[in-house]
Each structure stands twice: as structure tokens, then as C-alpha cells.
Amino acid sequence: MTTAEVSLSADDARRLALSAQGLLGAPDRRAGVRGVLRRLGAVQLDTISVLARSHELVPYARLGAVGRDAVESAYWTGGHSFEYWSHAACILPVEEWPHFAFRRRARRARGHRWHVLRDRDRACALVRDRLTADGPLTTTDLGGGKNGGEWFDWSDTKIAVEWLLDTGEVVCTERRGWRRVYDLAERAIPDKLLHDDIDDRECMRRLVAQAGAAMGVATRSDLADYHRLKGEQVDEVLPDTGLVPVAVEGWGGKPAWADPAALAAAPRGRHRSTLLSPFDSLVWDRPRTQRIFGFTHRLEAYVPKPKRIHGYFTMPLLAGGKLLGRVDPGREGTTLVARQVSMAGRKAVVPMAKALWEAAGWVGCDEVRVGRCDDAELADALAEALTAGT
């Protein structure tokens, strides 16, 4: 293990992480949504839509009230991105296509993901022929995704097209009405990027280096989690990534690495105050979120309602470079409803009110109503702050 030559305070590490994620300093509005995507390297997709879908909330948190149609256009037009498996199902910059060759090869070697086709060659040939003749197409266009049973009872067509997506013959070029739009990779990916020539080690090296830049400072497990790599894969390439070994106060002696560009320029500027998607890359790694912010974050959408503590789609409040509260939002007509709110003392009240009003305006609401707050005194203070903000 390389000895750390740089020591960082817990506050230094927190500011490095915020800056790397585009949440400290002036937003780069010229680069816009595509700039956010390139900076993060991956923006997670999820089916849940409360205020908006998660991939819309991510640029909103960094850029402010960019139009939702503009967000979708930035992602899905002009061939700038594609969807593939990274931290989860993610939007990725098209330039990263060659670096996921290792995952495509691994899928091919395994032979299947979840479903096994009785006649895969025939099913895949039918999909290829349709896409060649008529693509880009959704699963519905191709003939339907289900056999009529449960959601996982996929049709042969759905299994085949997802297999071709996994292995790189097909690419998801767009989400249309939340449906994947498939096209042949040879048509959708630029010629200079359409290859799997990069070996597994170089793919890992690039992805670990990118993860380190996107996080600013990270442990081995942080680096592995960002694109869902294995710890031993990270170990093999770390010495060649350019990341700098550091020691971070309060990280329990865990070895860590920092992006040299981040270390060279001390993070400065105003902190963004905003509500974060629970799938935002700043907080998607729960142990890292606890370590950096002292904040326990858990998505409870899939927890039975009686067992939820903070709500269905709990969005952390980022203010002053810290996570100061949570809100479970919803919409009723043109009213944003904060169904459940918790805050870390009075210092969080005004930022929470500001964040709620900003989110309301972004999604076309003209009123904000608070349902339940876990502290009666803070509830009264929040009501006053919301009234003052009208």
C-alpha cells in the first residue's frame, strides 16, 4: 500500500467531494446538462417520478431551474449519450462507450443475464432485422415486452433485445415515455468509438480514474462502488490512475485517494442549497454519505409504508455544504406538498423553505404546504419562513 503524503481534514474532504460533484462554486451554465453528465460520468435512472425523475433532478441540483424538456433534449439528442449498466442503469457520455467493453465481454462470456432463451439465435436475428429495417424502436414496436404474466415474465423479443443491449450489438439511445428506444450500435455510436479493442485492465483504469475525479477524494470501496467494480479490480489499476494517496481525518484510518487536479485548486465558492434526488451520485453510496456528512440516507420507497421513517421518496437538503434535513415531497395540483420534513435544527429552516419554493417553481407549483414535521417548534419556524418566501 502506498503511503499517504497528503493529509486532509474532514472539512477539506467534504469540500473536495462537493466541488468534484459540481455543488460548490458557480455552476457551469455554458456546459449545461451535458457538462454535468461529463463531469459526473454517470447519471442514474430510476422509474420513480415524484417532483421529476431522478435524472432530471441531478442537473437541477447543480444548475438550478433548467427546463425539464431541455434536460431531456440534452441527454437524448445529438448522439451525446447512451444508457448502460454502470452504478445501476445510467445515462453515460458517449465517449465512455469503449470503456465498458469489459462489461460487454463479461456478459457475453456468461451467456445470459436473467433469462435464458430456447432459441436465442433466432430471436436475436429477428430483433436485428427489425432494427435494421425500421429502427430505432421500443419494445412495444418490436412486438411487446411481456408474455402476459408478472412483470418479469418477459417475451422472447424483450429477452433478445436486452441481451443484445448487454453485449453491445444494440444501444439504448433514448427514453421515450420511459420506454427504452433501441438502435443498432453500429448506427448510433460514432465510428471512432465503436470498438471493444480496449482490454479489461485499461477499461478499469479509466473508470477508476474517472470515479476518482467525480468524487474528488475516495476510499477503495468508494471507487469500486461508483461504477460497480470489484475491489480487486480497483487494486490492480490504482497505481496507474494518477490518483494521489491521502489520509483523511475522521475516516477511521481508511486509505484514500484524491484527484490531483482537485488537490491543486483549493475548492472555493458558494455552496448550492437544493434538494437532492435520493439517487444523486453525491449520496448514492450510503456508507460514504455517512462518512463525509454524518448523514444516514436510505431510500424507503420499497419499504412497507408502516415501517418508513422519513417517507417514500426522501430528498436530502443540501445547504452550506452540509446535509441538514430531509423532505418527502409530492404534488397535489399546483401545490408542492412536503409530506414529511425533518431538519437539523433552526439553521436548516430558511434553507429548507428556500429549497422547497425553488423546487415548487421548477415543477410549476405556486403553493407549498407542509404535512408533518418531526419537531413542532421547527414546524412553526418553517411555516413562517415559507410565508416570508412567498
Side-chain angles (χ1 to χ4, degrees):
M1 185 67 67
T2 304
T3 302
E5 298 180 0
V6 178
S7 294
L8 300 173
S9 69
D11 188 60
D12 290 335
R14 179 179 56 81
R15 290 175 65 83
L16 281 175
L18 289 165
S19 180
Q21 284 280 301
L23 291 161
L24 176 63
D28 187 351
R29 299 191 188 284
R30 179 172 294 182
V33 175
R34 289 171 183 165
V36 169
L37 176 61
R38 288 193 297 271
R39 181 174 199 149
L40 301 182
V43 171
Q44 186 171 342
L45 292 156
D46 193 80
T47 58
I48 298 172
S49 181
V50 178
L51 294 183
R53 293 200 188 273
S54 183
H55 65 284
E56 298 172 291
L57 292 166
V58 169
Y60 163 73
R62 289 152 178 82
L63 302 174
V66 57
R68 294 175 64 188
D69 288 343
V71 172
E72 295 293 337
S73 178
Y75 284 138
W76 300 123
T77 62
H80 291 276
S81 62
F82 69 105
E83 179 186 339
Y84 196 60
W85 303 103
S86 166
H87 183 82
C90 290
I91 304 172
L92 303 167
V94 71
E95 294 81 8
E96 298 299 334
W97 173 271
H99 303 112
F100 283 86
F102 82 98
R103 190 155 283 161
R104 296 189 288 269
R105 284 192 287 263
R107 294 285 168 86
R108 283 195 290 269
R110 183 182 176 188
H112 67 278
R113 193 192 340 163
W114 298 319
H115 304 80
V116 177
L117 280 169
R118 286 170 294 182
D119 191 347
R120 188 174 69 193
D121 290 346
R122 178 178 180 277
C124 288
L126 290 172
V127 169
R128 289 190 201 96
D129 289 347
R130 279 295 313 280
L131 291 175
T132 299
D134 304 319
L137 300 171
T138 66
T139 304
T140 300
D141 298 331
L142 287 165
K146 297 181 181 180
N147 282 326
E150 300 290 339
W151 67 269
F152 51 81
D153 184 21
W154 287 2
S155 68
D156 285 1
T157 297
K158 174 68 172 176
I159 298 170
V161 75
E162 288 292 320
W163 169 251
L164 294 172
L165 178 76
D166 283 352
T167 56
E169 287 191 60
V170 162
V171 63
C172 176
T173 58
E174 179 186 356
R175 286 273 187 158
R176 188 183 302 156
W178 198 241
R179 295 183 179 89
R180 281 179 176 149
V181 179
Y182 304 94
D183 200 358
L184 297 173
E186 64 193 47
R187 194 158 52 198
I189 302 298
D191 290 344
K192 65 180 180 180
L193 299 173
L194 185 63
H195 61 82
D196 282 2
D197 299 339
I198 299 177
D199 64 28
D200 284 10
R201 191 180 191 284
E202 177 56 18
C203 289
M204 305 299 174
R205 189 205 65 78
R206 161 61 192 172
L207 292 177
V208 171
Q210 189 281 316
M215 287 187 283
V217 58
T219 65
R220 171 185 186 259
S221 61
D222 297 342
L223 293 168
D225 184 72
Y226 204 83
H227 291 296
R228 295 287 202 240
L229 306 178
K230 296 177 181 178
E232 54 268 29
Q233 292 172 324
V234 173
D235 292 339
E236 183 181 354
V237 300
L238 251 175
D240 300 322
T241 60
L243 298 176
V244 177
V246 296
V248 183
E249 172 196 13
W251 282 24
K254 289 178 178 287
W257 290 262
D259 175 36
L263 291 175
R268 57 172 55 91
R270 295 182 62 184
H271 292 92
R272 176 96 175 110
S273 293
T274 190
L275 298 178
L276 297 172
S277 163
F279 302 105
D280 194 292
S281 50
L282 183 72
V283 297
W284 65 18
D285 185 339
R286 309 315 189 219
R288 175 177 169 84
T289 303
Q290 179 67 50
R291 189 187 330 122
I292 294 178
F293 297 102
F295 186 88
T296 302
H297 174 51
R298 182 189 182 197
L299 177 70
E300 297 181 309
Y302 306 109
V303 174
K305 189 173 181 178
K307 295 184 178 181
R308 291 177 192 154
I309 298 171
H310 296 292
Y312 175 74
F313 192 77
T314 309
M315 299 181 69
L317 169 67
L318 177 68
K322 299 179 180 181
L323 298 177
L324 296 180
R326 303 172 175 83
V327 60
D328 179 29
R331 279 189 289 176
E332 294 178 4
T334 60
T335 299
L336 187 154
V337 181
R339 293 177 292 203
Q340 187 169 337
V341 177
S342 62
M343 293 175 285
R346 285 191 171 270
K347 63 182 177 294
V349 170
V350 171
M352 178 65 81
K354 180 183 177 183
L356 287 170
W357 274 120
E358 284 190 351
W362 181 54
V363 297
C365 291
D366 52 21
E367 291 186 37
V368 175
R369 186 176 79 246
V370 176
R372 185 175 71 182
C373 181
D374 61 5
D375 184 304
E377 290 186 8
L378 293 181
D380 291 340
L382 179 59
E384 292 178 9
L386 287 167
T387 300
T390 56

